[in-house]
Amino acid sequence: MNPRVIKTLVVDDDQNMRQLVGTILRHQFPEIGIIESCDGMRAMRELLANKIDIILCDLYMPGMNGLELLEVVRSSEHERIRLARFLMITSASDKKMVESARGLKVDDYILKPFNGVELCERLGSILRKIDPNN
């Protein structure tokens, strides 16, 4: 029997950042399937079309930013979307933004620039919440 694939949506308007995050995750977590999106509106389409377990999202993007996406996710009428784990990845260290993300029940928050070890530790913690055997 094949292990369950953890579907992960990486949302960032910077293609290089999406590729970096995807490369780190594929190397460290073979059970993760990566879907990429370049903005919040496209991310919503992916969330509606796929069962996404984890969202890794940049804060500052054109159109729908990361906080707006988090708010839409947490208020979704679809339980599978509302319960997705959400890791905000951003260069913003503004305390007001952090408070806003926490108020919207972000699962974790990581500042750019980050290193692969830090990203994997944060994601590992989220994965253990999804699957305690992980």
Side-chain angles (χ1 to χ4, degrees):
M1 184 171 144
N2 291 336
R4 180 168 104 74
V5 173
I6 305 294
K7 287 191 180 173
T8 304
L9 179 60
V10 178
V11 187
D12 198 307
D13 57 325
D14 181 338
Q15 181 180 5
N16 291 328
M17 183 57 66
R18 289 193 312 270
Q19 289 175 342
L20 173 66
V21 169
T23 299
I24 292 168
L25 298 184
R26 284 183 193 98
H27 178 73
Q28 193 65 32
F29 301 101
E31 71 275 20
I32 287 183
I34 306 287
I35 298 172
E36 294 182 12
S37 182
C38 62
D39 62 43
M41 294 304 294
R42 287 188 177 106
M44 278 308 305
R45 286 194 288 268
E46 292 294 345
L47 286 163
L48 289 168
N50 298 285
K51 163 81 172 83
I52 301 295
D53 299 294
I54 303 172
I55 303 163
L56 288 87
C57 185
D58 186 24
L59 179 59
Y60 295 112
M61 298 179 292
M64 180 187 289
N65 70 37
L67 276 179
E68 292 165 334
L69 178 61
L70 176 58
E71 185 173 15
V72 169
V73 164
R74 292 298 183 239
S75 64
S76 175
E77 64 186 42
H78 302 285
E79 184 178 45
R80 66 179 177 78
I81 294 173
R82 192 174 56 250
L83 297 178
R85 303 298 177 156
F86 205 108
L87 174 64
M88 189 74 70
I89 302 175
T90 185
S91 58
S93 59
D94 181 341
K95 286 188 179 200
K96 186 174 181 180
M97 289 296 207
V98 173
E99 293 296 321
S100 295
R102 286 190 179 138
L104 292 169
K105 298 186 175 129
V106 71
D107 288 279
D108 208 345
Y109 192 96
I110 189 169
L111 293 176
K112 295 178 187 174
F114 58 85
N115 62 51
V117 171
E118 181 182 15
L119 178 61
C120 290
E121 286 174 357
R122 302 283 181 103
L123 189 61
S125 176
I126 291 172
L127 284 170
R128 284 187 292 281
K129 292 176 186 175
I130 294 171
D131 180 3
N133 297 322
N134 207 346

